[in-house]
Amino acid sequence: MKFKFTDWSFLLREVVAVENYLKKAHEQFKQTVLFEAGNYASKNFPAEQDGSFESTLTTIRGFYNKLKKEVSIKLQGGVQRILGAANLVTAGQNIENKEKEIQAETDRKDRLAVDRGRIFIDGDHASYKKQRSLLIVFAIGECLWTVSAFLKLGDILLIALCLGLVIGLAQISAVKTTVQIIKEIDDRKKRKVYTIIAIAGFLALSCCLALLRYWFIHKGAGTDVPFIVMNPFTFVAINMLFIVATGLIVLFNFPSKAQINDMRKAEGLEKEIKTSEAKCKGLRQELDILIKEREFFVELRTRLIHAEEKLHETVNMMFDEAVGWFKSENVAKRPDKLFPQSFKNPHLPLANETIEDVHVLENKLKN
């Protein structure tokens, strides 16, 4: 809806438009009234002793009864044109649909909460998240240190960087995976054997990289580098430091694969729960707007009834005025110059148009 629920200026404009239409139609119809009055007057009708002159008001009464019907059609049609297809009934249906939508989303959120409650996560996972960041730092250091094993004057630097990064990341990943596997071995002897094999393997890989680095420096422009720097044992020691530090972090701070999977499931469920809560909040806000919209239509219906009643009263007064025109013209144009006795009697009022009561409509909607 493109209007405020407290702005009734559009209804006032429609009422004024209908009033202007009535005034114009009333003034234009005056000539017809005078013609009718003159026509009956030429026949000295109604007669002086007639008790009623209702039969002479058929055309006039029909016109103003039609105007009363047009009041409701034009007023409600103008309002409907502004509001579109929205009305009190559709507002109630929208509220009902929104409440069902909220209930469905609330049920979904409750199911997610139950699923989350079934996942028990043990261990210090806050420390795991912190140590995981430290592991990333070690991985960067390991990659940079491995890159140094492939730097040689005359070689393409990009290839050395790429190769060093790939091998460095592979080492860190291998250490992490190996330690995780060893941790989950129940047999103590097997765990010890696999630990020795893993250390030996990583030591051998470090030695190979160290010798490769020593050869690059010895053959290249770095032959004047101090021995302590180019010493392959220095490279092995530092490389193993990264490996051992990574292994210790994984050993003492990383949960098992099953625990990590549970953590991921729990985090995913918690994220869905937050999303569902936010959606429920948004739906409730939309429901509040729809409730205000329904209240607006109830008030609008009340105001429409009041406006119709006032406009019908206006038509009634116009009809009375038209009857006065008829009497005056009839008396003035009569050849017998008599004043009919029926003109002294009150004429019958216009038919009342039925307007649906707003409270009845409200009760239908609520039931």
Side-chain angles (χ1 to χ4, degrees):
M1 298 172 70
K2 298 181 180 179
F3 50 84
K4 296 180 179 179
F5 296 128
T6 56
D7 183 10
W8 299 102
S9 59
F10 73 96
L11 179 58
L12 179 60
R13 290 193 296 269
E14 291 301 318
V15 171
V16 171
V18 174
E19 285 179 339
N20 292 335
Y21 169 76
L22 293 177
K23 290 177 182 178
K24 183 178 180 180
H26 178 56
E27 291 297 326
Q28 290 177 345
F29 189 66
K30 184 175 183 179
Q31 297 303 319
T32 302
V33 173
L34 297 178
F35 175 79
E36 286 276 309
N39 187 40
Y40 282 112
S42 64
K43 302 174 184 177
N44 291 321
F45 191 82
E48 180 185 9
Q49 299 302 322
D50 286 348
S52 171
F53 65 102
E54 289 296 328
S55 60
T56 63
L57 300 179
T58 302
T59 301
I60 300 173
R61 186 181 300 278
F63 176 78
Y64 286 99
N65 277 330
K66 179 183 176 184
L67 274 188
K68 291 185 78 170
K69 293 179 180 179
E70 288 182 349
V71 163
S72 299
I73 295 173
K74 288 184 175 295
L75 185 58
Q76 295 183 14
V79 171
Q80 200 68 44
R81 184 178 65 253
I82 296 172
L83 303 183
N87 54 51
L88 185 57
V89 176
T90 57
Q93 291 174 345
N94 290 337
I95 289 175
E96 183 179 353
N97 294 337
K98 191 61 65 176
E99 287 174 342
K100 290 180 180 178
E101 193 175 350
I102 291 173
Q103 186 60 50
E105 189 61 33
T106 301
D107 293 342
R108 177 176 176 272
K109 183 186 66 175
D110 292 341
R111 290 194 296 270
L112 291 171
V114 171
D115 292 341
R116 173 61 185 90
R118 291 172 180 168
I119 300 176
F120 175 73
I121 302 175
D122 57 350
D124 187 4
H125 297 290
S127 176
Y128 155 67
K129 292 181 179 180
K130 293 179 181 178
Q131 297 298 330
R132 188 170 56 181
S133 301
L134 182 59
L135 188 64
I136 294 174
V137 175
F138 284 170
I140 294 173
E142 172 68 17
C143 290
L144 294 176
W145 188 245
T146 308
V147 167
S148 68
F150 295 92
L151 293 177
K152 177 185 176 184
L153 186 64
D155 283 346
I156 300 175
L157 180 61
L158 182 60
I159 294 178
L161 289 172
C162 292
L163 190 59
L165 289 173
V166 169
I167 294 178
L169 289 174
Q171 278 192 97
I172 293 296
S173 178
V175 172
K176 179 176 175 293
T177 303
T178 302
V179 174
Q180 286 282 61
I181 293 173
I182 293 174
K183 278 176 62 177
E184 296 181 10
I185 296 176
D186 296 329
D187 192 322
R188 187 174 180 182
K189 290 184 179 179
K190 285 185 178 181
R191 190 163 61 243
K192 185 176 181 180
V193 171
Y194 281 115
T195 300
I196 294 172
I197 293 174
I199 293 174
F202 287 117
L203 182 60
L205 177 62
S206 297
C207 290
C208 291
L209 292 174
L211 292 174
L212 184 63
R213 180 174 182 271
Y214 174 77
W215 182 81
F216 280 163
I217 294 176
H218 182 71
K219 292 294 183 180
T223 53
D224 57 344
V225 177
F227 179 75
I228 189 65
V229 176
M230 59 181 275
N231 190 341
F233 293 105
T234 302
F235 180 88
V236 170
I238 296 176
N239 197 63
M240 287 301 295
L241 176 63
F242 284 119
I243 291 174
V244 172
T246 301
L248 291 175
I249 289 176
V250 175
L251 179 64
F252 292 106
N253 295 287
F254 270 54
S256 64
K257 289 183 178 179
Q259 289 175 324
I260 291 176
N261 288 334
D262 287 342
M263 287 178 61
R264 289 173 178 171
K265 288 180 181 178
E267 289 175 353
L269 288 171
E270 288 170 358
K271 185 178 180 180
E272 286 191 61
I273 290 172
K274 289 182 179 179
T275 301
S276 181
E277 288 175 346
K279 185 175 181 180
C280 284
K281 183 179 179 181
L283 290 173
R284 290 190 182 96
Q285 291 175 346
E286 293 175 7
L287 178 61
D288 290 341
I289 294 174
L290 290 175
I291 291 174
K292 290 180 180 179
E293 180 181 301
R294 182 174 65 180
E295 293 172 350
F296 169 84
F297 282 117
V298 171
E299 178 68 15
L300 173 62
R301 183 60 185 160
T302 303
R303 289 174 180 261
L304 273 175
I305 290 175
H306 180 72
E308 286 177 340
E309 289 175 346
K310 291 297 182 182
L311 290 171
H312 286 170
E313 290 177 4
T314 300
V315 176
N316 288 335
M317 289 187 292
M318 289 178 175
F319 172 66
D320 292 339
E321 185 178 16
V323 172
W325 293 340
F326 178 88
K327 289 180 179 180
S328 298
E329 185 71 7
N330 183 271
V331 171
K333 296 290 180 69
R334 292 173 69 92
D336 59 9
K337 303 300 180 181
L338 297 177
F339 187 87
Q341 293 298 319
S342 58
F343 283 1
K344 298 178 181 180
N345 301 326
H347 57 274
L348 296 176
L350 294 175
N352 290 325
E353 292 297 321
T354 301
I355 303 174
E356 184 179 17
D357 188 83
V358 65
H359 302 297
V360 175
L361 187 59
E362 273 190 275
N363 292 331
K364 287 181 180 178
L365 181 62
K366 292 178 181 178
N367 294 333

